[in-house]
């Protein structure tokens, strides 16, 4: 009788003979017969229990190795055009194998998302572990995907989705866990018919690590929204090869004391400004305002790898703990950033204003500048207010005061133009070095902020006007008028709050501003501002000019941020083409593809906005998770059939009061009026009401907040016209009772009664 092999010898055999791994094959290989097979079976069970192998039907395999014939999902080609694929039959716990697909000339075309059956060969290349030859295509991946937390069970496990809107957990069979550990953040796709209790059945595709890690919040958003966050090596190499630009072919602006004014934590500096009184006696009281923008087009040329990657990303995405840049740091943080005292290439515009702030002339130049100082908004403002820093002090009379004087004229012109003047404070999430939220506060709104905004708006107008005049195609920033139905909803909200928005005339932003002014200083101010914002259409990029309604401008394009927006890079190339400044201008191929580019970067902008919003929600939930059980003040800012949304005063976070928690009364939902009305009491819950709530649950992974309604403003808890509404379907019952505390003299308390 042959000697019983050791565990190591059995594992070596399985690795060397992946097609001969049944118990019979192993016994035959080692000459094991008769009763000795029982001992072999015991060893195989031990190896399986220890995780070295797993049983697949009647064969055994190393879970960290792929079967010789595998199902793969093709990934997008890299910069060299190579196709890699994700193995869908890997069950190991180590690093996922990398598979290079080697297409034959006779193979059908393969692209990202294609599912293929392929024969694998083990290799030991630096950048991949296997090479694959196509056997046949078996379709495309159209399965629904989710991100969630994996919970290991006796047979496989389950996935708890992180999306607040998802209500069902997913079941994961034992052979589809991808080696995930309990509590890991994973990406999964639906893999077949529903399992027990009607729950979706899924297959884990990717393991993303610890969801409670300090940097996991933004990582979740990056992965969930498909934001590219790693630059290919070829793109990085192209950026690293770039050299500083000289003066050749440029106007020398190095003696012009341009300064950058940015947030104190700015990661890049792509715009600089300077202003002076116009020396022309024909323009008494006038100003000359310079805006210089980093010349990104000099480094990111059409058709280059940098250009392809920048277009794919569309824009940079900003999170509280990181930025996912459109360009590699060699450019965004170095060669294209207008650092203090360093020569940098730029495209600049000098704009002449009359004493009333009207732009009466402008000219563009391609130049070389040197920033006189990098200032923060607070630093510039403090200097004007009488407390200059050592850096700002020497610039006070020559740079800052002329800049603020020019702004006074621009502000007067803005007042005449009447762009939409919403008052919506911006939240700022502040983090400790370990990623923990330390505070949430609202950003200050300084005159220094407004100066830069007005200078940038003016430069954007100048760029659009120049390209139109020179008949060079461009991407406009388009903001169309509000949809009539949304406008009518705003009108109803205004009327119910005691304000008026006139009907029957062409809508202008001045009319909306009059509404906002009526509400200013009242309890309804925030409601009217939010309702006005919701009535607006979403801005987008397009090659046709439909104007910018919100800014009350006929011609508008984005020119001032080419480091972080691809749209601005296109406009820069248009200016280069229009002025004949070089061969790196807008190409005919780009012009033909402007519509597709516009649609793509409009989509990437929306993607980033959603990712940034979701990340803020998760950080706020993390911040508030230590205050579960606390009472908080807020205002109702959303009404739905399933509940009431309340914006909390201190943090600006939005939480949901589920309708099931309101108590023992049915509530009728009036979509048009945006109200819930109790069928027994006639009590109306409406937008804009002040509310006292208790925080019931804060879930950092999903960003969800659940609230319990404790009290509402007494004046708002009135009976609706016509008496109690008919009983709605599916809602709970409840009755209000009079408050008895001093605070409740102005509020009525909500008493919850369970069924």
């Amino acid at each position: 009788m042959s000697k019983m092999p050791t565990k190591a010898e059995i594992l070596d055999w399985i690795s060397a003979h992946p097609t001969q791994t049944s118990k019979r094959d192993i016994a035959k290989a080692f000459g094991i017969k008769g009763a000795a097979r029982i001992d072999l079976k015991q060893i195989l069970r031990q190896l399986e229990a220890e995780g070295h192998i797993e049983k697949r039907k009647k064969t055994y395999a190393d879970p960290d190795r792929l079967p010789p014939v595998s199902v793969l999902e093709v990934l997008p080609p890299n910069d060299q055009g190579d196709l890699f694929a994700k193995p869908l039959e890997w069950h190991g716990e180590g690093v996922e194998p990398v598979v290079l697909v080697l297409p034959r000339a006779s193979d059908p075309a393969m692209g990202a998302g294609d599912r293929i059956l392929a024969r694998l060969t083990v290799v030991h290349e630096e950048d991949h572990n296997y090479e694959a030859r196509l056997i046949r295509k078996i379709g495309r991946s159209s399965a629904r995907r989710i991100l969630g937390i994996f919970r290991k069970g006796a047979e496989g496990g389950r996935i708890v989705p992180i999306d607040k809107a998802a209500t069902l957990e997913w079941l994961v069979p034992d052979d589809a866990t991808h080696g995930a550990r309990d509590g890991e953040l994973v990406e999964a796709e639906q893999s077949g018919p529903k399992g027990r209790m009607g729950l979706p059945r899924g297959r884990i595709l990717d393991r993303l690590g610890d969801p409670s890690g300090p940097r996991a919040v933004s990582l979740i958003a990056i992965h969930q929204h498909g934001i590219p966050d790693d630059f290919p090596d070829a793109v990085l190499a192209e950026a690293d090869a770039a050299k500083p630009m000289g003066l050749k072919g440029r106007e020398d602006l190095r003696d012009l004391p341009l300064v950058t004014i940015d947030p104190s934590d700015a990661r890049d500096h792509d715009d600089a400004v300077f202003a002076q009184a116009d020396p022309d006696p024909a323009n008494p009281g006038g100003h000359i305002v310079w805006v210089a923008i980093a010349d990104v087009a000099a480094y990111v040329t059409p058709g280059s790898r940098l250009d392809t990657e920048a277009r794919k990303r569309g824009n940079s995405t900003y999170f509280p703990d990181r930025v996912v840049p459109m360009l590699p740091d060699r450019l965004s943080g170095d060669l294209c950033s207008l650092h203090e005292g360093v020569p940098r290439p730029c495209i600049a515009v000098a704009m002449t204003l009359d004493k009333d702030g009207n732009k009466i002339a402008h000219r563009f130049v391609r130049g070389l500048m040197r920033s006189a100082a990098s200032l923060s908004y607070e630093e510039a403002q403090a200097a004007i207010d009488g407390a200059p820093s050592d850096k700002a002090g020497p610039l006070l009379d020559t740079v800052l005061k002329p800049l603020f004087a020019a702004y006074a004229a621009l502000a007067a012109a803005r007042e005449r133009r009447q762009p939409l003047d919403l008052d919506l404070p911006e939240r700022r999430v502040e983090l400790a070095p370990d990623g923990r939220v330390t505070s949430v506060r609202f950003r200050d709104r300084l005159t220094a902020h407004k100066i830069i905004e007005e200078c940038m708006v003016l430069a954007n107008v100048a760029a659009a006007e120049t390209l139109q005049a020179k008949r060079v195609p461009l991407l406009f920033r388009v903001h169309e008028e509000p949809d009539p139905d949304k406008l009518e909803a705003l009108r109803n909200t205004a009327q119910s709050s005691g304000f008026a928005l006139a009907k029957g005339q062409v809508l202008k932003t001045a009319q909306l501003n009059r509404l906002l002014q009526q509400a200013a200083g009242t309890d309804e101010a925030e409601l009217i501002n939010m309702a006005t914002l919701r009535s607006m259409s979403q801005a987008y990029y397009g090659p046709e000019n439909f104007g910018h309604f919100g800014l009350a401008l006929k011609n508008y394009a984005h020119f001032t941020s080419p480091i972080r927006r691809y749209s601005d890079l296109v406009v820069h190339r248009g200016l280069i083409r229009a002025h004949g400044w070089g061969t790196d201008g807008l190409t005919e191929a780009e012009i033909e593809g402007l519509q597709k580019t516009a649609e793509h970067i409009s989509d990437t902008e929306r993607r980033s906005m959603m990712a940034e919003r979701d990340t803020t929600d998760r950080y706020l939930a993390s911040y508030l998770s230590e205050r579960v059980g606390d009472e908080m003040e807020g205002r109702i800012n959303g009404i739905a059939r399933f509940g009431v949304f309340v914006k909390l005063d201190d943090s600006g976070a939005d939480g949901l009061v589920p309708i099931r928690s309101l108590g023992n009364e049915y509530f009728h939902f009036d979509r048009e009026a945006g109200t819930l009305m109790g069928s027994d009491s006639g009590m109306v819950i409406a937008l804009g009401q002040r509310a006292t709530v208790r925080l019931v649950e804060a879930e950092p992974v999903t960003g969800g907040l659940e609230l319990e309604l404790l009290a509402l403003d007494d004046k708002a808890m009135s009976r609706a016209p016509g008496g109690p509404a008919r009983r709605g379907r599916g809602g709970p019952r409840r009755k209000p009772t009079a408050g008895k505390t001093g605070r409740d003299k102005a509020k009525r308390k909500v008493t919850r009664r369970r069924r």
Side-chain angles (χ1 to χ4, degrees):
M1 184 180 70
S2 298
K3 179 184 175 183
M4 184 64 62
T6 65
K7 291 180 180 179
E9 289 172 335
I10 293 175
L11 290 175
D12 288 342
W13 166 264
I14 291 174
S15 296
H17 304 83
T19 61
Q20 302 175 45
T21 58
S22 69
K23 187 177 69 173
R24 177 180 296 177
D25 291 329
I26 297 170
K28 184 177 180 181
F30 290 99
I32 299 171
K33 301 178 181 179
R37 289 173 177 259
I38 298 175
D39 295 330
L40 174 62
K41 184 177 181 180
Q42 185 64 30
I43 293 175
L44 292 174
R45 283 180 176 174
Q46 291 172 6
L47 287 171
E48 186 179 0
E50 293 166 3
H52 295 300
I53 61 174
E54 62 177 17
K55 192 170 185 178
R56 299 179 187 171
K57 296 182 180 179
K58 294 186 177 181
T59 66
Y60 289 88
D62 182 348
D64 286 319
R65 293 177 64 90
L66 295 174
V69 174
S70 289
V71 177
L72 311 174
E73 180 177 325
V74 179
L75 301 173
N78 66 10
D79 291 313
Q80 287 75 42
D82 293 329
L83 279 183
F84 287 89
K86 174 189 288 290
L88 299 181
E89 297 184 63
W90 181 72
H91 309 287
E93 296 189 1
V95 177
E96 180 178 280
V98 178
V99 182
L100 174 66
V101 181
L102 301 176
R104 304 180 186 88
S106 58
D107 287 344
M110 288 179 280
D114 284 341
R115 294 290 180 87
I116 63 172
L117 185 67
R119 188 174 303 281
L120 303 186
T121 303
V122 178
V123 296
H124 299 287
E125 300 292 339
E126 184 177 347
D127 60 347
H128 60 283
N129 312 109
Y130 294 85
E131 291 179 350
R133 292 286 188 179
L134 177 71
I135 296 175
R136 66 176 181 273
K137 290 177 68 174
I138 54 177
R140 288 187 58 81
S141 174
S142 58
R144 177 184 165 207
R145 294 192 178 190
I146 62 161
L147 282 179
I149 307 301
F150 178 67
R151 295 300 180 192
K152 199 167 184 65
E155 297 180 3
R158 56 192 174 88
I159 298 172
V160 181
I162 63 170
D163 191 336
K164 286 182 288 188
T167 58
L168 295 178
E169 296 181 354
W170 286 32
L171 300 177
V172 182
D174 192 49
D175 61 354
T177 63
H178 205 65
R181 295 183 175 91
D182 185 68
E184 273 192 320
L185 180 67
V186 298
E187 182 185 26
E189 69 171 8
Q190 198 160 354
S191 61
K194 293 181 178 180
R196 62 180 184 274
M197 297 183 293
L199 296 178
R201 188 184 297 272
R203 172 195 295 113
I204 292 177
L205 300 176
D206 204 359
R207 296 161 55 192
L208 305 176
D210 180 7
S212 63
R215 304 301 181 191
V217 174
S218 53
L219 178 64
I220 290 171
I222 289 167
H223 205 86
Q224 188 173 24
H225 293 278
I227 296 173
D229 64 333
D230 285 322
F231 286 102
D233 290 342
V235 174
L236 293 173
E238 197 170 270
D240 290 341
K243 304 295 181 185
M245 296 284 174
L247 187 59
K248 184 178 180 180
R250 298 178 179 275
E251 187 169 323
D252 193 347
L253 304 177
R254 287 176 291 181
D255 292 334
L256 200 65
L258 290 151
V259 297
T260 63
I261 304 179
D262 294 294
S264 57
D265 59 350
R267 295 173 169 94
D268 52 55
H269 307 279
D270 54 6
D271 57 80
V273 293
F274 172 68
Q276 64 187 77
D278 188 355
D280 187 349
N283 186 28
H287 306 268
I288 297 176
V289 176
W290 281 86
V291 172
I293 307 299
D295 189 358
V296 175
Y299 294 100
V300 184
T301 54
S304 65
R305 287 177 171 135
L306 280 165
D307 181 46
T308 300
E309 184 69 17
R311 185 185 183 279
K312 180 174 78 173
R313 295 175 178 230
N315 49 265
S316 298
T317 306
Y318 292 85
F319 301 108
D321 68 326
R322 73 180 79 193
V323 59
V324 180
M326 186 179 79
L327 301 172
D329 187 64
R330 170 64 173 158
L331 299 183
S332 62
D334 186 7
L335 294 179
C336 294
S337 193
L338 307 180
H339 294 305
E340 178 179 333
V342 181
R344 285 289 182 258
C346 65
I347 295 179
V349 56
M351 298 169 286
T352 304
L353 312 179
D354 65 18
K355 62 181 178 60
D356 298 318
N358 301 304
K359 181 170 66 66
I360 57 177
H362 70 265
R363 73 180 182 95
F364 281 91
V365 300
R366 198 173 198 183
L368 188 71
M369 62 160 284
R370 180 166 46 220
S371 172
S374 293
L375 303 177
S376 68
Y377 288 116
E378 294 78 11
E379 199 172 10
Q381 189 69 55
I384 290 294
D385 293 342
S389 66
D390 291 342
K391 184 188 295 186
L395 302 171
L396 182 58
D397 292 328
T398 57
V399 176
L400 294 177
K401 285 184 177 179
L403 195 57
F404 275 71
Y407 170 69
L410 285 171
R414 176 188 171 92
E415 181 64 25
R416 292 192 301 274
R417 193 176 87 242
Q418 285 286 303
L420 190 60
D421 191 19
L422 292 169
D423 181 17
L424 296 169
E426 185 182 356
R427 290 173 297 185
R428 176 185 174 88
V429 176
E430 296 186 335
L431 305 177
D434 63 358
R436 180 178 49 84
V437 181
T438 57
S439 66
V440 179
R441 63 181 180 85
F442 293 96
R443 294 181 188 268
D444 295 328
R445 181 83 170 141
L446 306 173
T447 303
H449 289 96
K450 300 175 184 178
I451 288 175
I452 299 304
E453 287 178 6
E454 285 304 307
C455 289
M456 297 305 116
V457 167
L458 200 65
N460 287 337
V461 170
E465 290 177 348
T466 294
L467 292 177
Q468 284 184 294
K470 293 182 177 290
R471 299 186 181 277
V472 174
L474 71 148
L475 289 178
F476 293 94
R477 182 61 169 176
V478 180
H479 185 226
E480 299 188 64
E481 294 183 3
D483 177 89
D485 291 339
K486 290 185 177 181
L487 193 60
E488 188 61 28
L490 171 61
R491 190 172 282 114
N492 291 336
T493 300
Q495 185 175 359
S496 66
S497 301
F499 307 116
L501 179 62
K503 271 189 176 184
Q505 51 187 298
V506 176
L507 181 69
K508 295 184 178 179
T509 48
Q511 298 164 249
L512 295 172
N513 285 340
R514 282 194 289 273
L515 170 62
L516 295 169
Q517 289 162 8
Q518 292 176 53
T522 71
D523 288 343
E524 289 77 21
E526 185 177 355
L527 167 66
I528 297 300
N529 273 272
M530 288 300 302
T532 302
L533 178 64
R534 287 170 178 164
S535 72
M536 294 295 106
S537 60
Q538 186 156 6
Y540 62 92
Y541 295 104
E544 294 186 66
N545 185 17
F546 297 110
H548 198 294
F549 175 80
L551 291 174
L553 291 169
K554 293 181 180 179
N555 305 296
Y556 196 66
H558 275 164
F559 156 74
T560 55
S561 295
I563 287 178
R564 62 184 180 91
R565 293 188 305 224
Y566 193 79
S567 58
D568 303 52
L569 179 58
V570 172
V571 170
H572 276 230
R573 288 175 180 164
L575 290 168
I576 294 168
R577 179 186 176 109
H579 292 91
W581 286 333
T583 59
D584 48 356
L586 198 65
T587 65
E588 290 297 329
E590 287 182 288
I591 291 172
E592 291 177 7
L594 273 183
Q595 181 61 49
K596 288 184 177 179
T597 297
E599 293 171 357
H600 171 70
I601 63 177
S602 295
D603 289 342
T604 61
E605 179 186 52
R606 285 189 285 272
R607 176 181 69 182
S608 292
M609 288 172 59
M610 289 188 292
E612 290 165 0
R613 181 197 63 202
D614 289 351
T615 299
T616 299
D617 287 346
R618 290 187 174 100
Y619 272 122
L620 289 173
S622 175
Y623 177 64
L624 293 171
S625 62
E626 297 178 359
R627 297 182 58 190
V628 170
D630 287 1
E631 291 188 15
M632 302 175 183
E633 300 294 321
R635 187 181 295 276
I636 294 175
N637 71 334
I639 301 284
R641 188 178 300 278
F642 53 83
V644 177
F645 291 95
V646 177
K647 181 179 286 293
L648 303 177
D649 292 342
D650 291 344
S651 63
D654 292 311
L656 173 67
V657 180
I659 199 166
R660 69 175 186 275
S661 72
L662 288 176
N664 257 1
E665 182 176 0
Y666 284 97
F667 277 83
H668 170 65
F669 172 58
D670 187 329
R671 183 182 300 277
E672 186 174 339
T675 61
L676 287 170
M677 186 167 68
S679 59
D680 296 338
S681 66
M683 184 189 73
V684 176
I685 302 177
L687 290 171
Q689 288 176 259
R690 297 291 305 166
T692 301
V693 296
R694 178 179 289 115
L695 181 59
V696 175
E697 183 180 359
E699 180 48 67
V701 174
T702 65
L705 299 178
E706 183 175 330
L707 307 173
E708 175 189 351
L709 186 62
L710 300 179
L712 290 170
D713 274 1
D714 187 65
K715 66 177 182 178
M717 295 177 65
S718 58
R719 199 173 290 274
R726 63 179 174 81
R727 179 170 296 179
R729 294 192 301 172
R733 297 168 176 261
R734 56 182 283 291
K735 288 185 179 181
T737 61
K740 297 179 181 180
T741 66
R743 183 183 65 183
D744 288 330
K745 290 179 181 179
K747 293 185 176 182
R748 183 174 295 174
K749 193 173 180 182
V750 175
T751 300
R752 298 171 63 243
R753 292 194 298 152
R754 298 289 185 187
R755 286 188 177 183

